[in-house]
DNA sequence: TGTCCCTGCAA
DNA sequence: TATTGCAGGGACA
């Protein structure tokens, strides 16, 4: 949605004049207010509004003075030092590309009010940039076809973007603000009000009566001194209300659409900045073009590259404050720590980061803590540095004890970058961080999941800033030293910057999120609540029977050896069975077997499909296939999992990546517990090693066919909806439709084919893929697909709509509004576009399923918190949740969890949850 | 030592 | 020429 920024120029000028020291340039001209305003405007430009206006008061009387001659009568004349800055300010504002508006007869407020409502009505999101609280009366929430109206105060960073936010700040709704202002009066503007009535009283009355008129009507009933004051003021109140009302119907020579931001006039800016001594701004002008060039390098494509960064955003101008080193303090004594804690508490919101000696949050030791509540200012508290000659640091326990009340205070909001890591560190030190409210990694993920979300990338992309690389302070590769061996001065540069940058990133990212309420909701209602849930699951871990795995390793080893001997015999020479390259030479060159499958690089493939294809021509391929299956299980699972047991807990703790999969799914690593085998007998045995401790059981609950159900919901196809509503076996029902059978006539083979079709549809399959999967001809596969679509026309239409939508807007959405941007859908080559279309088909289903289970996890976690530790969530595998449960609590859990999972979304088909109980994961599944 | 390639496990 | 991931071993610079 386009955005219009309306800047209340007069209010900023006054604020900056009084807030900043009386600076002058080399010629002695006053520049303080100018400096403040220019910085504010450059910050505004960084957010790249589509339209912008800088609104100031014209000279001469306004309608308010005609209405009430005493209006603003006691306002002192503008100081000369300020007056002198007005003209240069206008020149800079012009040169920056803003339109300046000055309307005689009305105040700047009325011009802003009029444009704001016009803009919102035209579907433009409007940001009013002001330090004047009276504008709260204009706040509007977005409606269909209409933009929102929000307030920001760039000086303080505060933002009022919803009715709720206004309520929180003033205790009344935006539409009650004028009534409140009338009751309170305003001594600065000389608006009369009720004596002794401040915001609290006004809000109380309005909460009771709703409107000023109702308060007036009920005035006789108000008791006490304040009641007398109210009755005395009655006559004045309607006038006060009128004076406080910002007009929204002023005839203007412009409309929002005529306020497009102009190209900035570099030459004039250079001259003006030089004249007034704005060196940082000047540097930005000169450095800007170089930074742009750097940023326009293509982003690193990831994975298949079917989607990646969407429209390459132009590099933001580098933050000038970043070109100078930030004001970073090393905190080495208790007094400074106390001072910082006081500051952070006062700020109410700060960025937090920890430094440790390991990447594994369940093993890492705390080395230092950094925080920042103001851009450019940050502190680093070293507490675990350890090298010859290290300065005296704060004692770790006393530092933690000092920080604990702040960190555990839910009323003080913390901002982090991948804060789940820091939550683990503090939890292991006995501190439960509360008020973990913002995570820049997740903000970035929700805004555009296919970009990178590490801090270095974010800083580069959003701030045009190169962070101090970890390698620069700790070295890299074999020479890397643990962070506790890094010199404290270097550590401060690195760690304090992390907190500083996190805070700045949040400023940008939260503003971007505000612009899209659906994304804001995904972030606020799904991702942020999930952070603590995932941290708990990771901390719980799962019990693994190492002895069982060792027995399996021995068994696998024995069978691998036999296969190896057999293979050597068949090949007539020894070779490395693990080497695709050697295998390729042996099979296709020496033995002359046909190479029917190619790798993506064009080499003859030795993968399963290729070996199966030649298994009837030679004995060797079958032996290799057997060997491979065994080797995979041993190297990836039975050997590795025992090594992953955390000695401190005796359990295996995976790590869930919340910003891992572009569709919104979680990913798991170290170890990956989302790909434990199940399909073969040998593989399934590994699940027997995932066990419950004595007195407990494992309970597994999984969604039945959730993605197909989502397809039914999204497509609205009558046949599919009916099948699910009737509780049918969906693959059997599909087979009956496609093959023209009655349900009971469907053969196992037909059901298998139907299942392949159903899954293929979820992945955007074509006839070629289905043919290969089923081992049938392309023509036959095409017929199946055609028949499927004729039986389920809603699905066909939905797929076409989705492609269309993806092509037109560049992204697709889940039921809950999560987006996946598809860069290559518009500008890729043929293959890339086709790939992007398949991803577009898949993402709404996969992503909605991810949204649903995430919601269920948050809900269930809340429920479990009240169950006294009788059960814990220990695994998530995309459509399945696994719990470790006291034996006596199993029944209760089975009553509650499937119900809550099924209730996590209201679709046009029921969500069905299956569950199982056992001593190990295999039994429970 | 770091990186790419091939392979294969899960939903 | 079927989606999303993680990870192992080999090969090579």
């Amino acid at each position: 949605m386009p955005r219009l920024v309306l800047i209340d120029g007069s209010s900023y000028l006054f604020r900056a004049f009084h807030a900043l020291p009386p600076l002058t340039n080399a010629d002695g001209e006053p520049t303080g207010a100018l400096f403040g305003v220019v910085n504010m405007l450059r910050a505004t430009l960084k957010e790249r509004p589509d339209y912008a206006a800088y609104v100031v008061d014209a000279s001469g009387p306004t309608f308010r003075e005609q209405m009430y001659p005493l209006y603003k009568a006691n306002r002192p004349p503008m100081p000369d030092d300020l007056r002198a800055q007005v003209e240069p300010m206008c020149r800079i504002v012009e040169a920056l590309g803003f339109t300046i508006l000055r309307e005689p007869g009305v105040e700047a407020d009325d011009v802003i009010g009029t444009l704001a409502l016009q803009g919102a009505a035209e579907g433009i999101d409007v940001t009013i940039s002001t330090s004047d609280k009276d504008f709260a009366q204009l706040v509007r929430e977005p409606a269909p076809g209409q933009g929102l109206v929000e307030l920001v105060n760039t000086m303080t960073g505060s933002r009022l973007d919803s009715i709720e936010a206004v309520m929180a700040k003033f205790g009344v709704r935006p539409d009650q603000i004028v009534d409140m202002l009338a009751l309170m009066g305003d001594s600065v503007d000389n608006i009369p009000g009720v004596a002794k009535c401040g915001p609290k009283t006004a809000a109380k009355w309005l909460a009771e009566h709703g409107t000023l008129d109702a308060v007036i009507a009920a005035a006789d009933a108000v008791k006490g001194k304040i009641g007398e004051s109210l009755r005395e003021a009655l006559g004045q109140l309607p006038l006060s209300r009128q004076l406080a009302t910002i007009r929204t119907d002023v005839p203007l020579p412009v409309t929002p659409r005529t306020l497009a931001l102009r190209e900035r006039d570099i030459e004039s800016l250079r001259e003006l900045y030089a004249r007034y001594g704005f060196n940082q701004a000047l540097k930005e002008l000169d450095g800007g073009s170089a930074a742009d060039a750097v940023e326009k390098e293509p982003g690193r494509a990831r994975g298949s590259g079917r989607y990646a960064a969407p429209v390459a955003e132009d590099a933001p101008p580098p933050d000038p404050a970043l070109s100078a080193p930030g004001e970073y303090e090393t905190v080495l004594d208790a007094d400074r720590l106390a001072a910082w804690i006081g500051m952070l508490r006062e700020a109410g919101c700060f960025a937090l980061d920890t430094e440790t000696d390991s990447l594994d949050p369940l093993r890492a030791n705390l080395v230092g803590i950094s925080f920042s509540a103001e851009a450019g200012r940050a502190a680093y508290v070293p507490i675990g540095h350890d090298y010859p000659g290290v300065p005296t640091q704060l004692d770790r326990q006393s530092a933690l004890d000092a920080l604990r009340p702040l960190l555990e205070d839910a009323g003080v909001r913390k901002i982090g970058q991948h804060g789940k890591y820091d939550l683990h560190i503090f939890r292991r030190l006995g501190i439960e961080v509360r008020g973990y409210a913002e995570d820049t990694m997740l903000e970035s993920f929700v805004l555009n999941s296919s970009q990178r979300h590490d801090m270095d990338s974010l800083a580069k992309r959003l701030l045009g800033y190169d962070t101090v690389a970890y390698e620069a302070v700790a070295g890299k590769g074999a020479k890397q030293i643990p962070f506790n061996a890094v010199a404290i001065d270097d550590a401060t540069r690195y760690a304090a910057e992390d907190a500083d940058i996190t805070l700045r990133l949040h400023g940008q990212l939260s503003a971007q999120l505000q612009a899209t309420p659906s994304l804001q909701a995904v972030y606020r209602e799904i991702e942020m609540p999930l952070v603590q849930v995932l941290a708990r699951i990771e901390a719980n871990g799962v019990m693994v029977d190492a002895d069982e795995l060792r027995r399996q390793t021995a068994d696998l080893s024995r069978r691998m050896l036999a296969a190896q001997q057999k293979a050597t015999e068949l090949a007539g020479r020894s070779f490395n069975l693990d080497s695709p390259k050697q295998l390729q030479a042996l099979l296709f060159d020496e033995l002359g077997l046909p190479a029917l499958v190619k790798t993506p690089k064009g080499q003859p493939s030795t993968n399963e499909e290729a070996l199966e294809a030649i298994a009837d021509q030679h004995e060797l391929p079958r032996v290799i296939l057997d060997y491979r299956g065994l080797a995979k299980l041993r190297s990836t699972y039975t050997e590795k999992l025992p090594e992953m047991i955390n000695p401190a807990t005796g359990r295996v703790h995976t790590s869930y990546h919340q910003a891992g999969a572009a569709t919104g799914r979680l990913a798991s690593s170290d170890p990956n517990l989302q790909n434990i085998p199940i399909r073969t007998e040998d593989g399934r045995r590994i699940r027997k090693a995932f066990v419950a401790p004595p007195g407990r059981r494992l309970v597994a609950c999984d969604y039945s066919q959730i993605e197909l159900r989502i397809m039914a919901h999204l497509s609205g196809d009558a046949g599919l909806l009916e099948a699910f509503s009737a509780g049918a076996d969906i693959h059997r029902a599909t087979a009956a439709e496609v093959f023209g059978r009655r349900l009971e006539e469907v053969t196992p083979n037909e059901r298998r084919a139907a299942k392949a079709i159903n899954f293929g549809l979820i992945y955007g399959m074509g006839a070629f893929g289905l043919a290969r999967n089923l081992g049938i001809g392309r023509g036959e596969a095409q017929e199946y697909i055609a028949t499927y679509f004729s039986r389920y026309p809603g699905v066909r239409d939905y797929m076409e709509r989705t492609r269309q939508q993806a092509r037109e807007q560049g992204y697709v959405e889940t039921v809950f509004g999560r987006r996946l941007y598809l860069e290559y859908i518009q500008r890729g080559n043929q293959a890339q576009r086709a790939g992007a279309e398949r991803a577009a088909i898949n993402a709404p289903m996969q992503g909605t399923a991810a949204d649903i289970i995430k919601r269920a996890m948050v809900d269930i976690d809340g429920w479990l918190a009240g169950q006294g530790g009788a059960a814990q969530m220990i695994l998530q595998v995309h459509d399945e949740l696994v719990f470790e449960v006291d034996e006596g609590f199993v029944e209760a859990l089975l009553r509650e969890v499937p119900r809550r999972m099924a209730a996590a979304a209201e679709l046009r088909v029921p969500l069905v949850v299956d569950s199982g109980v056992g001593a190990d994961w295999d039994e429970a599944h």
Side-chain angles (χ1 to χ4, degrees):
Chain A
M1 193 169 282
R3 208 158 57 84
L4 164 67
V5 175
L6 298 167
I7 297 161
D8 185 6
S10 310
S11 91
Y12 272 121
L13 197 61
F14 275 96
R15 270 296 303 273
F17 182 73
H18 292 292
L20 291 170
L23 307 169
T24 57
N25 67 357
D27 295 333
E29 295 174 274
T31 59
L34 203 47
F35 182 71
V37 171
V38 167
N39 277 339
M40 181 276 293
L41 290 175
R42 284 162 57 225
T44 304
L45 280 176
K46 227 169 289 166
E47 305 209 359
R48 312 228 147 201
D50 304 280
Y51 310 100
Y54 188 87
V55 189
V56 294
D57 288 323
S59 50
T62 70
F63 72 94
R64 287 193 180 78
E65 274 130 343
Q66 294 175 0
M67 200 190 279
Y68 179 60
L70 291 175
Y71 180 70
K72 293 196 176 173
N74 55 7
R75 185 168 277 194
M78 188 187 279
D80 288 339
D81 272 359
L82 179 54
R83 189 181 299 279
Q85 296 179 58
V86 171
E87 176 53 28
M89 183 193 68
C90 290
R91 291 181 56 198
I92 294 180
V93 170
E94 289 269 10
L96 281 168
F98 291 90
T99 302
I100 298 181
L101 297 178
R102 249 198 198 101
E103 275 303 301
V106 296
E107 292 184 64
D109 301 16
D110 306 296
V111 176
I112 290 172
T114 302
L115 287 170
L117 290 208
Q118 274 180 17
E122 290 179 42
I124 299 174
D125 279 338
V126 180
T127 302
I128 299 172
S129 187
T130 179
S131 52
D132 185 348
K133 64 182 182 333
D134 293 12
F135 280 97
Q137 65 187 270
L138 295 174
V139 169
R140 298 280 189 283
E141 293 191 344
Q146 302 223 335
L148 58 76
V149 179
E150 61 168 0
L151 257 50
V152 297
N153 182 340
T154 311
M155 299 261 176
T156 63
S158 70
R159 178 180 291 270
L160 294 175
D161 56 358
S162 63
I163 292 171
E164 201 183 301
V166 173
M167 293 281 294
K169 178 145 177 152
F170 298 102
V172 299
R173 297 187 307 269
D175 61 275
Q176 297 170 307
I177 289 283
V178 286
D179 292 348
M180 181 181 211
L181 294 171
L183 286 166
M184 287 161 56
D186 188 334
S187 57
V188 178
D189 289 347
N190 211 23
I191 294 179
V194 176
K196 296 275 156 46
C197 173
K200 287 275 154 53
T201 308
K204 194 185 89 185
W205 285 343
L206 288 170
E208 272 171 36
H209 302 288
T211 63
L212 180 63
D213 291 338
V215 173
I216 292 171
D220 286 336
V222 179
K223 296 196 204 76
K225 263 253 150 70
I226 193 85
E228 279 177 42
S229 305
L230 173 58
R231 287 183 285 278
E232 271 172 37
L234 282 182
Q236 290 279 11
L237 288 176
L239 172 67
S240 296
R241 186 177 196 281
Q242 245 183 312
L243 291 171
T245 302
I246 294 171
R247 280 181 60 183
T248 58
D249 58 358
V250 178
L252 293 174
V254 297
T255 68
R257 300 272 178 193
T258 60
L259 297 172
L261 209 51
R262 291 189 308 274
E263 199 63 38
R264 54 185 187 164
D265 179 349
I266 304 270
E267 279 323 302
S268 304
L269 284 175
R270 201 188 306 278
E271 184 202 314
L272 288 159
Y273 287 167
R275 170 166 174 197
Y276 294 103
F278 298 163
N279 296 324
Q280 289 173 333
L282 199 54
K283 215 179 295 172
E284 172 204 330
L285 280 184
D286 295 324
S289 54
D292 277 350
V294 170
E295 185 69 14
K296 275 175 187 155
E297 281 175 20
R300 186 127 67 93
R302 299 186 317 151
S304 65
R306 293 223 170 84
Y307 46 74
V311 204
E313 292 165 38
D314 284 356
D319 187 332
L322 290 172
S323 55
E327 195 183 313
Y328 296 157
E329 176 180 346
T330 308
V331 174
L332 290 168
D333 64 75
D335 287 348
R336 288 307 300 155
L337 180 59
W340 268 96
I341 290 171
M343 241 146 51
L344 299 174
R345 182 173 285 287
E346 183 71 18
C349 178
F350 65 93
L352 174 68
D353 188 38
T354 60
E355 303 304 331
T356 67
D357 59 4
S358 162
L359 285 173
D360 179 351
L362 276 82
R363 296 174 199 241
N365 298 298
L366 183 62
V367 174
I369 304 167
S370 56
F371 22 68
S372 169
E374 184 189 334
R377 263 192 96 187
Y380 177 60
V381 188
I383 49 183
H385 287 261
D386 181 19
Y387 52 89
V390 68
T392 308
Q393 299 159 73
L394 273 167
D395 167 66
R396 187 174 84 164
Q397 199 51 51
S398 42
L400 289 174
D401 288 342
L403 282 165
R404 181 193 309 276
L406 179 73
L407 295 177
E408 296 193 336
D409 184 345
V412 182
R413 297 154 58 82
K414 287 89 182 174
I415 306 167
Q417 157 72 16
H418 188 205
K420 176 157 66 67
Y421 182 93
D422 309 272
L423 297 182
H424 275 302
I425 300 300
F426 284 118
R427 175 186 53 78
R428 288 176 46 236
L429 292 163
I431 293 179
E432 291 298 329
V433 176
R434 298 198 183 85
Y436 186 65
E438 313 284 354
D439 194 313
T440 47
M441 179 183 78
L442 298 175
E443 288 176 318
S444 169
F445 177 63
V446 170
L447 279 165
N448 184 341
S449 61
S450 29
Q451 290 186 308
R452 301 178 54 131
H453 315 294
D454 59 289
M455 182 154 53
D456 294 354
S457 305
L458 291 174
K460 182 81 189 143
R461 191 166 82 235
L462 295 164
L463 306 173
Y465 178 72
D466 288 309
T467 48
V468 175
Y470 184 80
E471 286 80 16
V473 296
K476 64 174 177 176
K479 290 193 289 270
Q480 190 165 74
I481 55 173
F483 202 81
N484 55 307
V486 170
I488 286 184
D489 284 352
D490 291 340
T492 296
R493 272 196 298 128
Y494 174 82
E497 181 186 86
D498 276 4
D500 180 18
I501 295 295
T502 300
L503 187 74
R504 296 176 198 242
L505 286 173
H506 172 64
Q508 300 250 337
L509 290 164
S510 68
Q512 290 185 30
L513 270 181
Q514 305 273 0
T516 313
S518 58
L519 295 182
Q520 170 85 357
V522 169
Y523 170 72
R524 193 61 71 196
E525 287 161 30
I526 299 180
E527 300 298 355
M528 281 313 298
L530 190 65
V531 174
Q532 293 276 10
V533 180
L534 293 179
R536 276 190 277 277
I537 296 177
E538 292 174 354
N540 292 336
V542 55
M543 179 167 280
V544 167
D545 183 345
D547 287 337
E548 168 63 24
L549 289 173
R550 278 192 264 278
R551 282 193 293 275
Q552 293 188 23
T553 299
D555 178 56
L556 293 168
S557 301
R558 185 179 51 71
R559 292 158 64 193
M560 282 166 69
L561 194 61
Q564 201 174 0
Q565 283 166 353
K566 178 89 177 171
T568 308
E569 199 179 301
L570 287 168
R573 66 172 175 91
S574 68
F575 65 100
N576 185 348
L577 275 78
D578 290 317
S579 165
K581 203 177 169 190
Q582 292 185 28
L583 208 52
Q584 173 209 316
L586 176 63
L587 293 172
F588 306 121
D589 297 341
E590 291 181 35
L591 298 177
L593 293 163
L596 301 170
V597 184
K598 295 271 191 282
T599 71
K601 289 273 174 200
Q603 294 296 305
S605 174
T606 65
N607 68 10
E608 183 175 354
E609 188 188 352
L611 296 183
E612 285 286 356
I614 51 176
D616 53 351
Q617 299 176 42
H618 199 285
E619 278 187 74
L620 187 55
R622 173 65 53 201
V623 176
I624 292 165
L625 283 169
D626 290 344
Y627 172 85
R628 284 239 183 104
L630 302 169
K632 172 80 178 183
L633 294 178
R634 190 182 72 169
S635 65
T636 311
Y637 302 105
T638 69
E639 275 186 334
K640 285 294 171 327
L641 283 172
E643 293 173 16
M644 304 298 292
I645 295 174
N646 185 313
T649 65
R651 297 166 69 104
V652 172
H653 306 265
T654 184
S655 172
Y656 286 105
H657 307 285
Q658 206 174 343
T663 52
R665 269 193 182 181
L666 298 178
S668 155
S669 72
D670 310 297
N672 180 357
L673 296 185
Q674 292 182 321
N675 71 343
I676 303 302
I678 192 168
R679 289 174 196 184
T680 67
E681 187 51 42
D682 281 327
R684 182 182 287 253
R685 270 168 54 197
I686 291 166
R687 296 197 170 213
K688 293 193 181 302
F690 287 77
V691 296
R696 310 202 88 192
R697 310 280 275 168
L698 294 189
V699 178
C701 305
D702 68 286
Y703 286 105
S704 166
Q705 308 295 357
I706 187 165
E707 293 188 6
L708 281 175
R709 286 172 199 269
I710 292 164
M711 186 166 83
H713 170 85
L714 288 170
S715 69
D717 181 272
L720 216 47
L721 290 176
E722 167 58 27
F724 277 121
S725 298
D729 170 345
I730 191 64
H731 301 316
R732 179 170 288 273
T734 302
E737 291 292 345
V738 172
F739 298 107
R741 303 270 186 274
R742 292 212 305 271
L743 275 176
E744 59 274 20
E745 292 171 349
V746 171
T747 68
N749 212 34
E750 286 168 343
R751 184 176 182 282
R752 193 175 60 83
K755 188 173 174 181
I757 295 171
N758 279 332
F759 277 103
L761 286 165
I762 293 175
Y763 301 143
M765 167 200 67
F768 184 95
L770 182 64
R772 197 172 59 174
N773 187 295
L774 286 174
I776 59 176
R778 270 183 79 172
E780 198 179 351
Q782 184 53 56
E783 274 177 44
Y784 289 0
I785 293 173
T787 314
Y788 179 96
F789 281 138
S790 71
R791 292 289 185 268
Y792 300 106
V795 175
R796 184 193 53 213
D797 295 345
Y798 163 70
M799 301 232 159
E800 198 33 60
R801 279 203 308 278
T802 304
R803 287 191 192 93
Q804 176 88 12
Q805 186 197 1
R807 280 192 293 262
E808 279 171 9
Q809 53 192 28
Y811 62 86
V812 290
E813 278 178 316
T814 68
V815 168
F816 295 94
R818 182 191 302 276
R819 288 183 186 175
L820 176 67
Y821 285 89
L822 300 144
E823 182 188 15
Y824 294 113
I825 198 111
Q826 282 148 344
R827 64 170 198 81
N829 61 34
Q830 172 68 34
Q832 288 173 322
R833 279 208 310 276
E837 286 193 359
R838 291 194 297 274
I841 299 273
N842 174 259
M845 293 182 262
Q846 188 177 119
T848 300
D851 292 342
I852 290 174
I853 196 167
K854 283 176 168 179
R855 287 163 53 95
M857 290 166 75
V858 170
D859 175 49
I860 291 166
D861 178 77
W863 174 69
L864 285 177
Q867 304 307 313
Q872 286 83 36
M873 214 184 302
I874 60 169
L875 293 172
Q876 190 255 37
V877 194
H878 306 309
D879 65 358
E880 173 184 8
L881 296 175
V882 183
F883 301 84
E884 186 178 300
V885 189
D886 286 352
E887 273 170 358
F889 193 69
V890 168
E891 230 177 281
L893 187 111
L894 285 175
R895 269 198 305 274
E896 203 65 20
V897 166
R899 184 181 70 71
R900 287 176 183 265
M901 285 174 72
E906 191 115 353
L907 304 184
R908 290 194 255 185
V909 292
L911 284 177
V912 171
V913 175
D914 299 325
S915 51
V917 184
D920 60 64
W921 195 5
D922 182 40
E923 271 184 36
H925 200 279

